[in-house]
Amino acid sequence: AQQPEDKESVESSHSVIHFDLERWQQEEELPREPSLEKTQLNIPLSAVRETEEDQPENLEKTQSIPAPGPADHFDFEGLQRTLRDQENDFGEEPFSDEEELGDEEDIEDFRTPADIAPIRHDLQSSLFSLNVRIAVVAVLFAGTLYFALAQTAGLPLPAFMDLETQPRIYMIVNLALVILSALVCNTTVGGGLASLLTMHADGDSLAALAVISTIVQGVAIAAFPQKLQEQTLGLFFSAAVFGLLCNVWGKKTLVSRIEGNFRIVSSERPKKAVLYLKNKELARELSRGMDLNPPNLAYASKTGFLTRFLEQSYEPDNSEGLFRVIAPVVALCSLVVGGVSYYLTRDIFTALTAFSAVTCVASPITATLYANYPLLRAQRSLSKEGAQLTGFEAVDTFSTINGVTVDASELFPSD
């Protein structure tokens, strides 16, 4: 009689245990997922969405700054607007890998990954050409410098071009060296003169003017070589060629900097764009308690493809605007000085010497070099850290930065 009771008690006890276990599992498993969602994702995003209309402008950006996330969470309007404006010139059709770009000169900027190879080839070709020009012009400059020292310091010369016995040959050899330098640097001389005549003078204009003035003076004296023995006339061939040498050297520093920066921009590594924080209220909030007045903050945003690289890289510095005024003024002053010299001496050779002297002395022969060399040094330093400073536009944009914002995860890694 007791055995059935035991079975019933066992069955009832089993049923109770089974029921409690199932209920216990339900109570334990249900809260897990919502609690994790609330902790990691749902609470911050829902709070932002629910109160979006009541929050001040750009609060969503403020909420997203300390939260590490994918690149598309960083909605930086200024960068996107620049990208859209840049892409509008090419229509709305996406780029197809099957489309051929044609000649390399058709590529105006770095806009798609397909541009990497032709741009790199163009930069390397430019560097090779500039290195050849520097080598040739350096040899020609050494020749003109030696002839100048032969005139002033009495260095020996071959008998067939001795200054005392063969002044015409001496002048013709000097002229040949200067003309060869002008031909090697034909883009500088031709482009500089064209810019000067069209009232859009640039850094090449004064260097070209110095070369042309010395050639005119040299041709006149070569036609009447006895003038070198009758009167003291200064010759400025070496000064003009040295100006061309510095000009080409400066352009090499420019292309070298762009080529080094392009290796970083075109690499496949993840990239960030450093941007200027334009929201003044957010800048003041982030810099509260710091002595920044006004706070000019920069921040880095994860980005995909970077555009306007070549446009910003070749952007001239502010001194280019000065040449539009300086070059015409120097040309006019040279003509005035030459005219006054002729009026006082009634000697055309003295007037040409004065004209050539003013153009060579007033020409900032290192203008291209001093502007680009600091950026080249910056490129070499930054490239070691995987960074690059594009050009003068970037220098002007970030010249007033006094603070940098970083993500907390960058300061405190997960380990």
Side-chain angles (χ1 to χ4, degrees), residues 111-172:
R111 296 189 176 97
T112 67
D115 296 335
I116 294 177
I119 291 178
R120 183 174 297 162
H121 178 267
D122 181 68
L123 291 174
Q124 292 175 353
S125 299
S126 298
L127 277 177
F128 177 78
S129 175
L130 289 169
N131 286 328
V132 172
R133 292 183 187 183
I134 289 175
V136 174
V137 176
V139 172
L140 296 175
F141 167 69
T144 57
L145 181 62
Y146 185 87
F147 287 124
L149 294 176
Q151 181 189 14
T152 57
L155 292 182
L157 287 174
F160 71 92
M161 64 175 65
D162 184 70
L163 184 60
E164 298 295 331
T165 59
Q166 298 291 340
R168 175 168 291 170
I169 301 298
Y170 174 84
M171 290 299 303
I172 291 176

Side-chain angles (χ1 to χ4, degrees), residues 64-305:
S64 64
I65 285 179
D72 55 357
H73 286 188
F74 292 86
D75 184 16
F76 300 110
E77 298 178 358
L79 178 60
Q80 292 181 344
R81 189 181 304 111
T82 301
L83 297 178
R84 285 196 299 268
D85 293 342
Q86 188 71 19
E87 293 172 355
N88 285 339
D89 298 335
F90 303 95
E92 299 180 355
E93 296 183 359
F95 178 81
S96 174
D97 293 337
E98 298 179 357
E99 296 176 359
E100 296 183 358
L101 294 176
D103 296 335
E104 294 182 6
E105 53 266 22
D106 294 335
I107 300 178
E108 298 178 357
D109 210 328
F110 180 40
R111 296 189 176 97
T112 67
D115 296 335
I116 294 177
I119 291 178
R120 183 174 297 162
H121 178 267
D122 181 68
L123 291 174
Q124 292 175 353
S125 299
S126 298
L127 277 177
F128 177 78
S129 175
L130 289 169
N131 286 328
V132 172
R133 292 183 187 183
I134 289 175
V136 174
V137 176
V139 172
L140 296 175
F141 167 69
T144 57
L145 181 62
Y146 185 87
F147 287 124
L149 294 176
Q151 181 189 14
T152 57
L155 292 182
L157 287 174
F160 71 92
M161 64 175 65
D162 184 70
L163 184 60
E164 298 295 331
T165 59
Q166 298 291 340
R168 175 168 291 170
I169 301 298
Y170 174 84
M171 290 299 303
I172 291 176
V173 173
N174 274 280
L175 272 174
L177 295 177
V178 178
I179 293 174
L180 283 175
S181 301
L183 292 176
V184 172
C185 303
N186 58 85
T187 55
T188 298
V189 177
L193 284 179
S195 300
L196 179 62
L197 295 176
T198 56
M199 302 305 295
H200 291 85
D202 52 21
D204 296 339
S205 297
L206 289 176
L209 185 62
V211 171
I212 296 302
S213 65
T214 55
I215 291 177
V216 172
Q217 181 204 21
V219 170
I221 297 178
F224 300 92
Q226 67 277 8
K227 293 294 182 179
L228 280 177
Q229 301 172 346
E230 296 175 359
Q231 59 189 104
T232 303
L233 296 175
L235 301 177
F236 305 97
F237 299 116
S238 58
V241 177
F242 184 67
L244 291 178
L245 177 61
C246 291
N247 183 276
V248 179
W249 192 4
K251 291 180 179 178
K252 181 195 172 183
T253 61
L254 168 67
V255 179
S256 298
R257 182 247 302 174
I258 296 175
E259 195 270 339
N261 286 338
F262 188 70
R263 286 199 301 267
I264 294 181
V265 172
S266 61
S267 65
E268 296 182 356
R269 70 180 69 179
K271 302 177 184 64
K272 287 187 176 182
V274 180
L275 306 173
Y276 182 79
L277 187 59
K278 297 181 179 180
N279 191 326
K280 298 299 181 182
E281 296 181 2
L282 178 58
R284 283 192 293 268
E285 184 67 23
L286 291 174
S287 61
R288 181 179 296 179
M290 304 178 186
D291 188 16
L292 302 178
N293 190 23
N296 297 316
L297 306 183
Y299 62 95
S301 168
K302 289 183 179 180
T303 184
F305 191 81

